[in-house]
Amino acid sequence: MFPQVRLRRLRENHILRESITENKLSINDLILPLFIHEEKGTHEILSMPSHYRLDIETMLKDVEKLIKGGVKKFILFGIPKEKDALASGASAIDGIVQQAIIALKKNFGNNIYVLADLCFCEYTSHGHCGVLENSVVLNDETLNMSQKLALSYADAGVDMIAPSGMMDGIVSSLRSALDVNNYSSIPIMGYSAKYSSAFYGPFRDAAGSAPESGNRKGYQMNPANRLEAMREVDLDVAEGVDILMVKPALSYLDIIRDIKNKYDLPLACYNVSGEYSIIKAAAQKGWIDEQAVALESLLSMKRAGADLILSYWARDFVSWGITE
Ligand code: PBG
């Protein structure tokens, strides 16, 4: 007896195959991270091929090309010249991220959507994500500083704020600071379930934000935990978050799907530096087809349930000529 149900019948013709594709990836799904530094000129990031630390002038030229290529959403990370224990420079209106926001909005107006990552690890001399006391990052003191930082981003004209420090209560504290200062229309994307991951290695190299001692296990999530991610998301939702996020993406596709099944909010995932650089490195060795593997990995995030993907690959979409 031969099979009467044959799934291959719908696979053979490429026109039919295309029309019954369940998930599609588009450049509109992507948000590109940019590293902006206070030094002059550009600095190649060796651990993240095709990415650079940019100064404001080169950033504007770069972004102009990217916008022409179809990238519309960017998330900014700042690398300041001066660091200290209290990240005192972070909230200055002449700070690097604030100046980058002002320049981008002035030059590209409504053709660009600018998100700012909100964290202190790039600004602290010890490299931790907030105020440190006896090796512990103090939660509520860091919330106070975060409110100030969020307001400086808002004053600069940011479109959305994404707090990545994993402090408890961050969404409600930013929401109230923004609301009482007439910024109730600025959305917050929570790094809702952010794991303490070794996949952040190349980013810390890029941003100069590795902790001088210790690690981030005291505030970021344990990679072994799944139920706890739902508690994190519950809290962000209760605190009024606008978009949820899971980070990293590839090793956490189950978490993305769990959240998608339970919540109706838009969901993002962060396809982090390590996930990007391992594909780049293998491709440079000629071991894999870079574009095919990159697109397949991004598609897996869409299939898992992500609506938006923060990804370094957005830049390659432009060189590959993928404009939709
Ligand atoms: C800052 C921050 C990190 C990343 C984004 N925001 C690093 C970290 O938590 O140590 C990682 C992004 C990436 O690896 O691409 N808290």
Side-chain angles (χ1 to χ4, degrees), residues 77 117 119 121-122 129 164 191 194 199-200 203-204 209 216 220 247 270 272-274 312:
F77 293 92
D117 180 270
C119 192
C121 57
E122 295 97 353
C129 300
S164 67
Y191 278 72
K194 175 173 176 181
F199 284 94
Y200 305 150
F203 172 97
R204 291 182 186 169
S209 64
R216 305 209 202 289
Q220 298 180 348
K247 178 184 177 187
Y270 199 138
V272 301
S273 56
Y312 303 97

Side-chain angles (χ1 to χ4, degrees), residues 168-231:
D168 287 325
I170 184 73
V171 172
S172 67
S173 82
L174 296 189
R175 188 71 276 154
S176 39
L178 291 168
D179 289 357
V180 299
N181 287 283
N182 278 325
Y183 290 123
S184 56
S185 60
I186 296 182
I188 298 173
M189 178 162 71
Y191 278 72
S192 310
K194 175 173 176 181
Y195 287 86
S196 174
S197 170
F199 284 94
Y200 305 150
F203 172 97
R204 291 182 186 169
D205 192 25
S209 64
E212 206 172 54
S213 66
N215 53 51
R216 305 209 202 289
K217 290 183 185 170
Y219 41 106
Q220 298 180 348
M221 283 182 61
N222 176 352
N225 291 358
R226 185 171 179 184
L227 301 175
E228 192 189 353
M230 303 310 263
R231 297 190 69 200

Side-chain angles (χ1 to χ4, degrees), residues 38-189:
E38 244 167 356
E39 311 283 330
K40 276 263 146 253
T42 59
H43 170 89
E44 199 179 349
I45 301 166
L46 294 175
S47 56
M48 299 179 67
S50 316
H51 289 267
Y52 295 82
R53 295 181 180 187
L54 306 163
D55 66 8
I56 300 223
E57 207 176 305
T58 45
M59 169 195 76
L60 289 172
K61 289 194 192 115
D62 189 36
V63 167
E64 189 176 355
K65 275 192 239 140
L66 289 161
I67 290 178
K68 280 200 185 112
V71 183
K72 297 178 199 142
K73 300 183 285 292
F74 300 85
I75 181 161
L76 307 183
F77 293 92
I79 303 142
K81 257 190 194 155
E82 310 279 335
K83 304 184 186 225
D84 62 32
L86 292 173
S88 349
S91 305
I93 196 67
D94 62 353
I96 186 64
V97 174
Q98 292 82 355
Q99 286 302 306
I101 298 169
I102 291 169
L104 288 170
K105 294 309 287 184
K106 178 165 169 248
N107 280 270
F108 305 109
N110 284 334
N111 295 318
I112 192 170
Y113 196 85
V114 182
L115 295 91
D117 180 270
L118 190 153
C119 192
F120 295 100
C121 57
E122 295 97 353
Y123 294 89
T124 51
S125 41
H126 45 71
H128 279 283
C129 300
V131 188
L132 200 63
E133 198 177 273
N134 302 324
S135 309
V136 173
V137 173
L138 301 179
N139 194 84
D140 299 6
E141 285 72 1
T142 304
L143 291 183
N144 282 333
M145 284 163 53
S146 302
Q147 290 185 316
K148 220 172 125 204
L149 182 51
L151 291 177
S152 74
Y153 289 164
D155 289 342
V158 79
D159 291 308
M160 190 186 292
I161 295 177
S164 67
M166 287 303 277
M167 298 302 131
D168 287 325
I170 184 73
V171 172
S172 67
S173 82
L174 296 189
R175 188 71 276 154
S176 39
L178 291 168
D179 289 357
V180 299
N181 287 283
N182 278 325
Y183 290 123
S184 56
S185 60
I186 296 182
I188 298 173
M189 178 162 71

